[in-house]
Amino acid sequence: MASYDYKNRQAWVLDAGTYQIKVGHTVRDFEVVYNYEVPTTKVIKNDDTTGVEIKNHFDNALGSFHYLSRTDGLYSKPSAPTHFLATQAVKDCDTRPSPTTEGVIQNTGVVYEDGAIMLADVAADNSLWDKFLDQFTVDEMIDMICESGYKTLGLERLGVPTTVDNDGPATVKGEGGLLYKESGIAYPVAFALASSWNDDLAYAYGESIGKEAKELGTHIWYAPACNLHRSPMGGRNFEYYSEDPLLSGKMAAAVTRGAQSQKLVVTVKHFVCNDQETNRQTRGLFTWTNEQAMRELYLEPFEIAVKEGKAWGIMSAYNRIGADWCSGNKALITDLLRTEWGFDGFVVSDAYINVTGANYMDPVLATYARNDAYLTSLWYFAEKLQMTTNMKQTYEKDPIGFGNALRLCTYDLCRVKMRTLAFDPTQTTGHRGEGKIVSKEHGNVDNSTGGANQGGSITDTNGAQNNANKVEKADIAKTGFKTYSLVGAATVAVTAAIVIPVCIKKRKRED
């Protein structure tokens, strides 16, 4: 019953007074009315799960609008806009952060004398995480993050498995992505399930999906979807449960528990405010709102799925919150989702459609925000050069900040793989990186003994100055590297010529 006060307290507030709880058939036909007394105003300033202080994260999404309020009077009428020029926030959207000049350059490409530490070794001993991650080269981290459409890329030399991922939410599909050949049965759409108001049925649905996924060999499911029925014209209402955030969250949480009971990783989508299909892929739909509406409506289903459903995955949305693309929005993905709510899974973007590697759907921004993977697909061959080149160049300019971001995303991807049936925890080697360091790619590792290497925690005494020198010399392209714009345009044409006929052929076969 509490409301979120975004203007003053930046907290949940339950005002003192008498609240009526009504049980009835309609809003006017009640069977019984209960009075609930709140003697003093209650202010909830810390998250109920993590204890982290609650505060506004999305003030920059307010825009210059007048938000309707009951204090305006029952029939208040909003005034029409008087100007139509883009704000500075819109003009500056998709700006990359400045390079970090203080901190540690993380180790990469480390080779241990006693042999490679495998992912199964880490599963047996969590203290090996830093040394394990030190073994990844920059290219390997970038490839794993970028090549994550309908799969997550494996790395055999470190025992990291490839997973099979595919769509939902009304069924589960097998390998092949858009060109899948096998699928489970087609279930009734999400709002039919929500109309039952039955948590047990929702759990059974998720459990059934999980069992079918085992038969198909699918490890990660792009579902459930819990955006709101904000309008009856919403293009994906069939995927979403309800216009009510509590009901939507309870359904998503139950489906999540059921699916994950079978070790099928879910990706609760589309995080957040993806309540409109029209123009959502045209440079990103700018969504203007206030933090009260965000927390009381649009975020609540995801919060319930994370806290009650213990979701292992989230799919971020195409649209923007204010001027910030959801997948590249640090306030959304790191500050709120991971820090405030305590989410410890992985985040994958919605279908990746950027062939320039910059600007809208910039993979660099997403990596900085700890969006761990990009749902690239049939046209990845046309996107790969732009994505990987931009990310490699960013690493060269910012080995501390972007290097740490790459490492965190790689960590999240490895952890989620460990939760799937693709991972075999018995393939241990007993290697602990205790021998001599044979070689490395980046970082500051003492090559004399493995004991001198402290993984990512080792201090690079020259790292800050080296990075500062790079900042001075580099011509930082804040909104992307224009060098590749012509290549990007050419790849659009090539992609259309190849992908469209393939999809048409598949559709004709299905029809």
Side-chain angles (χ1 to χ4, degrees):
M1 294 188 295
S3 298
Y4 187 79
D5 177 6
Y6 75 96
K7 292 183 177 179
N8 300 305
R9 292 185 175 96
Q10 298 190 31
W12 292 93
V13 179
L14 184 62
D15 288 320
T18 301
Y19 293 81
Q20 290 191 327
I21 301 173
K22 302 176 180 180
V23 180
H25 304 284
T26 70
V27 294
R28 296 181 178 86
D29 182 11
F30 306 121
E31 290 288 340
V32 63
V33 177
Y34 298 96
N35 288 333
Y36 181 78
E37 299 290 340
V38 178
T40 59
T41 296
K42 297 181 179 180
V43 178
I44 303 168
K45 188 59 181 171
N46 296 90
D47 185 85
D48 57 359
T49 298
T50 65
V52 171
E53 181 183 5
I54 297 170
K55 60 182 179 182
N56 289 356
H57 293 294
F58 308 104
D59 286 341
N60 60 356
L62 274 169
S64 55
F65 308 100
H66 173 70
Y67 288 88
L68 298 182
S69 169
R70 285 172 297 212
T71 60
D72 294 335
L74 186 59
Y75 299 106
S76 62
K77 181 179 179 181
S79 58
T82 57
H83 63 86
F84 301 91
L85 297 177
T87 64
Q88 195 62 42
V90 172
K91 294 177 182 178
D92 292 340
C93 68
D94 305 326
T95 299
R96 294 174 180 171
S98 298
T100 303
T101 58
E102 295 182 359
V104 173
I105 296 178
Q106 301 282 6
N107 301 327
T108 65
V110 170
V111 177
Y112 300 112
E113 184 180 42
D114 63 339
I117 300 171
M118 308 297 272
L119 187 59
D121 295 318
V122 181
D125 183 356
N126 281 332
S127 70
L128 295 175
W129 263 117
D130 275 334
K131 289 184 178 181
F132 172 75
L133 292 170
D134 285 350
Q135 299 173 112
F136 282 85
T137 67
V138 172
D139 283 356
E140 286 169 344
M141 290 189 287
I142 290 173
D143 286 343
M144 185 173 290
I145 292 166
C146 289
E147 200 168 341
S148 291
Y150 298 100
K151 66 178 179 182
T152 61
L153 191 65
L155 186 59
E156 186 176 356
R157 74 178 187 87
L158 297 180
V160 180
T162 298
T163 63
V164 173
D165 313 354
N166 216 325
D167 271 319
T171 187
V172 61
K173 304 180 178 86
E175 66 178 344
L178 295 173
L179 303 179
Y180 69 92
K181 295 180 180 179
E182 297 180 312
S183 70
I185 64 172
Y187 292 86
V189 292
F191 62 79
L193 178 62
S195 297
S196 71
W197 293 71
N198 189 324
D199 289 11
D200 292 337
L201 183 61
Y203 180 94
Y205 164 72
E207 184 180 41
S208 181
I209 287 283
K211 291 178 179 178
E212 290 180 328
K214 286 182 182 179
E215 296 294 323
L216 294 167
T218 299
H219 308 112
I220 298 178
W221 184 43
Y222 295 152
C226 61
N227 297 103
L228 299 183
H229 292 173
R230 187 173 184 273
S231 161
M233 301 298 289
R236 286 182 184 251
N237 281 356
F238 65 95
E239 288 192 0
Y240 304 148
Y241 295 108
S242 171
E243 75 281 5
D244 180 79
L246 177 63
L247 176 59
S248 297
K250 291 292 186 180
M251 289 292 106
V255 171
T256 293
R257 290 193 299 270
Q260 292 184 168
S261 73
Q262 304 301 307
K263 300 200 75 173
L264 174 64
V265 173
V266 305
T267 59
V268 184
K269 64 183 186 182
H270 308 86
F271 192 55
V272 62
C273 293
N274 188 110
D275 306 303
Q276 169 181 321
E277 292 300 291
T278 304
N279 296 323
R280 77 170 186 155
Q281 294 176 339
T282 307
R283 215 174 134 68
L285 184 70
F286 289 78
T287 307
W288 306 101
T289 183
N290 63 50
E291 190 114 2
Q292 181 179 6
M294 288 276 290
R295 287 184 179 264
E296 293 183 12
L297 297 173
Y298 306 111
L299 288 168
E300 185 174 347
F302 294 92
E303 183 176 7
I304 294 172
V306 166
K307 292 182 177 180
E308 297 183 13
K310 308 299 182 185
W312 294 335
I314 291 285
M315 180 182 289
S316 53
Y318 275 122
N319 61 287
R320 302 171 185 268
I321 303 302
D324 298 325
W325 172 44
C326 285
S327 299
N329 192 324
K330 180 179 178 294
L332 180 67
I333 293 174
T334 295
D335 300 340
L336 178 76
L337 177 65
R338 297 185 186 278
T339 302
E340 186 178 313
W341 292 355
F343 174 74
D344 70 343
F346 93 118
V347 179
V348 61
S349 73
D350 206 337
Y352 192 82
I353 56 172
N354 181 353
V355 296
T356 70
N359 302 309
Y360 172 55
M361 298 193 81
D362 183 353
V364 170
L365 282 177
T367 302
Y368 272 122
R370 204 170 170 183
N371 189 105
D372 305 302
Y374 313 128
L375 206 166
T376 47
S377 188
L378 291 173
W379 40 90
Y380 179 58
F381 73 92
E383 300 165 334
K384 182 174 182 178
L385 173 64
Q386 312 305 316
M387 294 177 70
T388 58
T389 299
N390 268 283
M391 293 177 76
K392 290 173 187 176
Q393 289 181 346
T394 303
Y395 179 83
E396 289 301 314
K397 291 177 170 67
D398 186 17
I400 295 177
F402 196 64
N404 189 59
L406 290 172
R407 187 182 180 96
L408 286 172
C409 291
T410 303
Y411 167 75
D412 292 335
L413 281 166
C414 289
R415 286 190 72 243
V416 78
K417 289 167 182 284
M418 293 168 74
R419 287 167 160 163
T420 71
L421 292 173
F423 175 63
D424 183 356
T426 67
Q427 300 300 308
T428 58
T429 65
H431 298 158
R432 300 182 57 82
E434 293 176 341
K436 181 180 178 181
I437 304 303
V438 177
S439 64
K440 65 179 175 64
E441 180 185 44
H442 298 289
N444 184 29
V445 177
D446 185 339
N447 288 346
S448 59
T449 64
N453 174 33
Q454 300 301 317
S457 63
I458 195 73
T459 300
D460 181 355
T461 56
N462 297 318
Q465 185 57 50
N466 290 342
N467 213 27
N469 292 339
K470 290 185 177 185
V471 173
E472 288 180 6
K473 296 177 181 178
D475 179 17
I476 304 300
K478 288 276 189 170
T479 57
F481 300 92
K482 305 302 182 183
T483 307
Y484 297 93
S485 58
L486 291 178
V487 178
T491 53
V492 172
V494 174
T495 301
I498 295 176
V499 174
I500 292 175
V502 171
C503 292
I504 292 174
K505 183 177 180 180
K506 180 179 185 295
R507 176 58 60 193
K508 287 181 177 179
R509 185 176 73 245
E510 290 179 345
D511 293 343

